[in-house]
Amino acid sequence: MSKQAGDPDVIIDIRALHKVYKVGEERVHALRGIDLTIRRNEFVAIMGASGSGKSTLMNILGALDKPTKGMYRLRGRDTHKMGMSQLARVRNEDIGFIFQSFELLPRATSLKNVMLPMLYSSKHIFSARKRAKNALRRVGLGDRMTHRPNQLSGGQRQRVAVARALVNDPAILLADEPTGNLDTKTTQEIIALFRELHEAGQTIVVVTHEEDVAGHADRIVRLRDGEVMSDHTTREDPIHRVWIEQSREGHGAKAGAPGAPESAPSVGVMPTQDSPTASVRAARPKSTQARSAT
Amino acid sequence: MSVVFAPFLYVLRLVVQTVFLAVGQIWANKTRAMLTSLGIIIGVGAVIAVIAGLGGLKKFVLDEVDAAVGARKMWVWGEVPDSKRAVMNDSDVRVGLYEANLLLENAPSIESLTPMAHSSWPIAYGEETVLGASIWGIWPAWNDVEDRTVVYGRPLSRIDSDEKRLVCMINEQAIEELNLDLDPTGDYLLVNGRRCLVVGVVETKDGGGIFGGGQPRTEVWIPFETHKNMNPYTGTWFQMQLVEPTSDRPMDAVAADAKAEVNIILRTHRNLGPEDEDTFEMEVVQSVIGFFNQMAFVLTAVGGVIAAISLLVGGIGIMNIMLVSVSERTREIGLRKAVGARPPIVLTQFLIEAVVLCLVGGAIGLLIGQGAATLLRFVPGMSIESVSVPRWAVFMSVGVSALVGVVSGMFPAIKAARLNPIDALRHE
Ligand SMILES: Nc1ncnc2c1ncn2[C@@H]1O[C@H](COP(=O)(O)OP(=O)(O)O)[C@@H](O)[C@H]1O
Ligand SMILES: [Mg+2]
């Protein structure tokens, strides 16, 4: 599990990471000693019940927030020691972050929104527009460049956000419940897009509630109360296996194990090679009622 | 090539985008922006109007002074110092002809000089008599000093003075009062009972409106020496014309030099020791202008205080609106930070926005001030060229507006720059 600091394949290396929020006198211990390594071209899903610390972890991974204690090394650099300006640079150059609520500038066109990260970097000064157009084409929005967010559907908005996250060629794409605001069909489209990016070599970490979304990842990290509860490949993840069994039997996901899926599979999952999910498509349970609110 | 220019273009693009963003932001909240920058508008407008108005007024006053007495005028007369009142009287300190010649020879800043004496005497011609006409004793230089030309006959001459002749010049008012010919040269007047030959007529000069215009007096000019003969005890003074100022040596400097020269020459001649007070006084037209300048300074100060108060109030308004703007756009700030905007860049963005807001206010104020100045041109006596907004005032108001923007935008901008990106994004 432990990797050499100099290993160029290690994108993210986290050791004994703690995060404590202070709310007045009260202290919320959101992360309690997380160890995690993410390598190049991994596609990791982070799961866990609401309040288990998924967003807190993602914000630290995305250099949006600083850990209270512990080590976070991104591409061999000690991010936990960096100041505000250095972190901003890391966010600009190494990280593509996708939010549940898209976070687009309402008055700006898709193209302008995608160009935003390049405004804060001197790297692609002469090719900014071209790069933004390419990124939009990559997410299938080549014909929506001059639209404003309110002229786009939810799925299209999230695609713009994905294009914006990709435009600076980040080392890692981080998405915190990217499909949380989307319907099941659009969720599938976005997840298929992630899959495509992953196959093209992109390293991705996605937080999700949904087992079928997680099913597209290669690896599932489950959190509980700010600790890593389990860390397995998707095929070996026991909870995921149970979920697959249950969906195959058409029982939905009501009887989930602790920290288990909070939503039933809705639409067929694109199979990974010789994955048991291949059979899920045939089963395709109609019961989507168990989508629990959190 | 492109590598060399990239950092520069990066900053340029950022600034341009930020300015566009700021203008868009202001345009989106037109009414609010207008109301907020009202203080700036009034402040700049007031200052510009006062400066333009004063410029016009100053030119107006200077023209008047110049028309009435000439800007290069200086007077010197004897004066008993207060401490010597008991032991001296006016005749002890009277300026005399010897001193007149001393000054002419030794004071390089004095171009020409005439001693002067004045009496009010009756004059008569034939049946007509004028009581209390002004009789001046002068040297021929008087025509130069006073810039008064002779329209008929000749001016007084050196020989008239040397021989203390009974000759005179008169003005057109005297011709009228005494019923003389249009060309009265060759006629004899009775001046205080003495027969006096008219040799010339002096042009009537309308004094400027603000300096003793009014009814022209009946005036007669006779040689200073002749006057002294007729009235040996009257007071005398010197009236002189200073040399012309140059671009290297402005009028202020000429006036100061002339004063210093007169001072040293007269003190030396009068054997005044270092402790002795001056036994003479002098005055230059420059000090009239100096008085006006003081007045203008007071007016400018009043305008400045009004402007400062409006700018202060305006600045507080700008700060308030920028705080509102930062709080309204907290999520946007969070997003910009999330994609890599560093704190100094966020700071700059809000500073530029505040500065643009103030500059818009300043520009409107400038237009209003300009408008007020244009209205001033219709005030009688104001000349069109003189009532204008000087370029330095335009630069100054732009600079002050920008400064107000920077100062009042600083606190909100720092607040925005310090926001933690994740807290900002969570803001509702
Ligand atoms: N800004 C914050 N201030 C205080 N407590 C917080 C803050 N953000 C999250 N928390 C707390 O930290 C814990 C983990 O939250 P979070 O990371 O958002 O969980 P998840 O994303 O898994 O639902 C929760 O108990 C939550 O209440
Ligand atoms: Mg969350």
Side-chain angles (χ1 to χ4, degrees):
Chain A
M1 178 118 171
S2 80
K3 306 283 183 311
Q4 294 256 286
D7 187 343
D9 255 8
V10 174
I11 304 284
I12 281 174
D13 193 11
I14 274 178
R15 291 280 167 272
L17 198 78
H18 287 258
K19 178 71 184 181
V20 180
Y21 291 111
K22 274 181 231 139
V23 184
E25 289 296 291
E26 209 185 326
R27 285 157 168 269
V28 181
H29 212 141
L31 296 180
R32 304 159 180 268
I34 303 268
D35 292 327
L36 187 65
T37 305
I38 294 171
R39 315 187 106 246
R40 188 181 301 283
N41 200 22
E42 271 196 285
F43 186 176
V44 181
I46 295 179
M47 303 198 71
S50 182
S52 58
K54 306 183 296 291
S55 293
T56 303
L57 179 60
M58 283 300 265
N59 292 340
I60 292 172
L61 291 184
L64 290 163
D65 208 352
K66 293 178 83 167
T68 312
K69 212 168 75 184
M71 184 204 84
Y72 171 21
R73 200 169 273 165
L74 179 67
R75 294 220 285 177
R77 287 185 317 192
D78 282 338
T79 308
H80 58 281
K81 292 177 185 162
M82 290 183 178
M84 292 260 267
S85 282
Q86 276 175 299
L87 286 175
R89 201 187 179 98
V90 166
R91 292 196 292 272
N92 185 259
E93 293 176 359
D94 298 328
I95 291 166
F97 206 102
I98 296 161
F99 303 89
Q100 181 175 352
S101 45
F102 322 139
E103 304 294 349
L104 301 177
L105 294 177
R107 275 201 287 273
T109 60
S110 308
L111 191 63
K112 287 280 175 200
N113 266 295
V114 175
M115 284 171 75
L116 190 67
M118 292 183 288
L119 179 62
Y120 300 114
S121 149
S122 57
K123 270 198 170 165
H124 309 298
I125 187 101
F126 297 104
S127 53
R129 189 169 290 267
K130 206 177 88 203
R131 290 181 69 91
K133 285 182 177 172
N134 283 342
L136 278 166
R137 284 193 202 105
R138 240 180 126 185
V139 300
L141 289 179
D143 54 347
R144 293 286 187 279
M145 298 202 186
T146 55
H147 289 58
R148 284 168 216 284
N150 62 2
Q151 299 165 322
L152 297 171
S153 72
Q156 287 171 328
R157 287 183 208 182
Q158 196 57 300
R159 282 162 187 274
V160 174
V162 172
R164 182 181 63 196
L166 288 174
V167 78
N168 269 350
D169 286 334
I172 188 159
L173 196 65
L174 302 170
D176 189 355
E177 300 196 40
T179 58
N181 280 2
L182 302 176
D183 60 33
T184 47
K185 183 171 164 288
T186 337
T187 296
Q188 285 313 120
E189 288 170 14
I190 293 292
I191 249 19
L193 174 62
F194 277 31
R195 193 72 223 162
E196 226 173 87
L197 296 172
H198 170 57
E199 263 141 36
Q202 182 70 54
T203 315
I204 301 175
V205 178
V206 61
V207 166
T208 183
H209 276 308
E210 299 163 76
E211 285 292 341
D212 62 340
V213 170
H216 288 274
D218 307 335
R219 175 178 162 200
I220 299 178
V221 176
R222 294 184 190 271
L223 300 186
R224 187 166 61 188
D225 297 335
E227 284 176 291
V228 176
M229 186 187 83
S230 71
D231 183 353
H232 299 285
T233 62
T234 307
R235 250 182 294 161
E236 289 162 2
D237 187 278
I239 297 166
H240 197 67
R241 280 169 163 264
V242 170
W243 175 81
I244 289 169
E245 289 300 317
Q246 288 170 342
S247 29
R248 188 181 293 151
E249 287 156 25
H251 287 304
K254 275 174 260 174
E262 285 149 318
S263 115
S266 41
V267 191
V269 176
M270 306 266 281
T272 47
Q273 289 134 334
D274 57 357
S275 143
T277 52
S279 49
V280 170
R281 210 194 305 174
R284 186 176 284 189
K286 293 225 158 60
S287 54
T288 54
Q289 81 280 22
R291 186 182 205 126
S292 61
T294 48
Chain B
M1 246 272 283
S2 55
V3 176
V4 174
F5 284 117
F8 170 72
L9 285 175
Y10 160 62
V11 172
L12 186 73
R13 178 182 63 178
L14 204 59
V15 168
V16 169
Q17 294 246 4
T18 307
V19 169
F20 270 107
L21 188 75
V23 171
Q25 205 65 36
I26 291 166
W27 190 248
N29 302 299
K30 283 181 284 294
T31 322
R32 188 170 91 179
M34 199 65 162
L35 289 175
T36 335
S37 37
L38 210 56
I40 312 283
I41 295 176
I42 292 173
V44 170
V47 165
I48 291 295
V50 166
I51 287 171
L54 276 180
L57 202 59
K58 183 166 179 178
K59 178 97 178 10
F60 177 66
V61 169
L62 289 185
D63 287 350
E64 289 283 325
V65 169
D66 203 32
V69 286
R72 294 192 278 144
K73 224 26 101 44
M74 178 168 173
W75 297 268
V76 176
W77 65 97
E79 181 97 9
V80 180
D82 285 349
S83 57
K84 296 277 171 58
R85 280 276 148 78
V87 292
M88 277 186 186
N89 60 41
D90 287 348
S91 57
D92 296 328
V93 297
R94 187 168 297 158
V95 289
L97 290 177
Y98 185 79
E99 287 174 329
N101 285 315
L102 267 184
L103 290 181
L104 264 180
E105 278 161 31
N106 299 312
S109 300
I110 294 170
E111 188 177 272
S112 52
L113 177 151
T114 173
M116 300 280 295
H118 179 255
S119 303
S120 283
W121 283 327
I123 57 172
Y125 177 77
E127 303 290 289
E128 308 291 340
T129 301
V130 176
L131 296 170
S134 277
I135 316 298
W136 304 93
I138 59 168
W139 273 2
W142 178 85
N143 294 78
D144 280 344
V145 172
E146 283 287 295
D147 192 24
R148 299 276 289 268
T149 50
V150 171
V151 286
Y152 288 111
R154 62 166 177 87
L156 299 179
S157 71
R158 198 56 206 274
I159 300 164
D160 295 330
S161 274
D162 289 350
E163 299 188 353
K164 305 178 177 65
R165 284 178 179 165
L166 279 165
V167 291
C168 66
M169 301 187 297
I170 59 174
N171 65 353
E172 283 159 343
Q173 183 67 17
I175 296 176
E176 202 170 299
E177 297 278 329
L178 296 175
N179 236 340
L180 287 159
D181 280 348
L182 207 55
D183 179 2
T185 53
D187 290 336
Y188 284 89
L189 306 186
L190 278 181
V191 175
N192 201 21
R194 310 281 292 270
R195 270 168 55 88
C196 194
L197 176 68
V198 178
V199 294
V201 177
V202 174
E203 70 167 334
T204 303
K205 203 176 173 187
D206 43 281
I210 57 170
F211 291 99
Q215 186 68 18
R217 289 181 298 172
T218 305
E219 291 181 286
V220 177
W221 293 270
I222 59 177
F224 180 82
E225 290 77 1
T226 314
H227 187 279
K228 197 170 163 68
N229 257 357
M230 291 165 72
N231 187 2
Y233 304 109
T234 190
T236 58
W237 69 93
F238 299 155
Q239 196 156 321
M240 27 203 158
Q241 173 93 311
L242 303 183
V243 294
E244 254 186 84
T246 61
S247 49
D248 300 340
R249 195 166 169 241
M251 199 56 225
D252 288 349
V254 173
D257 288 351
K259 279 182 151 178
E261 289 160 13
V262 170
N263 200 52
I264 191 146
I265 292 165
L266 291 187
R267 284 185 70 89
T268 309
H269 177 244
R270 293 181 175 203
N271 284 322
L272 296 176
E275 275 89 56
D276 294 328
E277 289 175 75
D278 289 344
T279 53
F280 53 89
E281 289 268 359
M282 54 192 131
E283 191 61 80
V284 282
V285 166
Q286 201 54 29
S287 44
V288 175
I289 295 164
F291 172 72
F292 173 80
N293 280 339
Q294 278 178 358
M295 216 172 73
F297 179 78
V298 171
L299 277 175
T300 311
V302 170
V305 168
I306 294 174
I309 292 171
S310 330
L311 290 177
L312 183 71
V313 173
I316 293 170
I318 298 284
M319 187 183 301
N320 180 50
I321 215 66
M322 290 311 296
L323 284 172
V324 169
S325 181
V326 167
S327 134
E328 277 176 353
R329 286 152 67 200
T330 304
R331 273 182 91 101
E332 180 198 316
I333 297 166
L335 171 69
R336 287 175 184 275
K337 294 191 153 209
V339 299
R342 280 173 290 125
I345 292 197
V346 175
L347 182 98
T348 315
Q349 177 187 333
F350 281 90
L351 273 190
I352 289 183
E353 192 169 321
V355 167
V356 169
L357 196 58
C358 286
L359 284 181
V360 169
I364 296 173
L366 206 58
L367 287 181
I368 290 177
Q370 182 75 256
T374 311
L375 285 182
L376 269 179
R377 289 179 184 169
F378 294 105
V379 174
M382 294 281 181
S383 65
I384 290 185
E385 330 79 69
S386 54
V387 188
S388 63
V389 181
R391 194 168 300 171
W392 64 264
V394 174
F395 287 133
M396 186 201 70
S397 38
V398 170
V400 167
S401 307
L403 188 71
V404 170
V406 170
V407 169
S408 54
M410 192 54 91
F411 172 58
I414 288 176
K415 213 179 139 180
R418 284 214 182 127
L419 277 174
N420 178 334
I422 204 67
D423 290 340
L425 277 169
R426 220 177 267 134
H427 190 265
E428 283 313 308

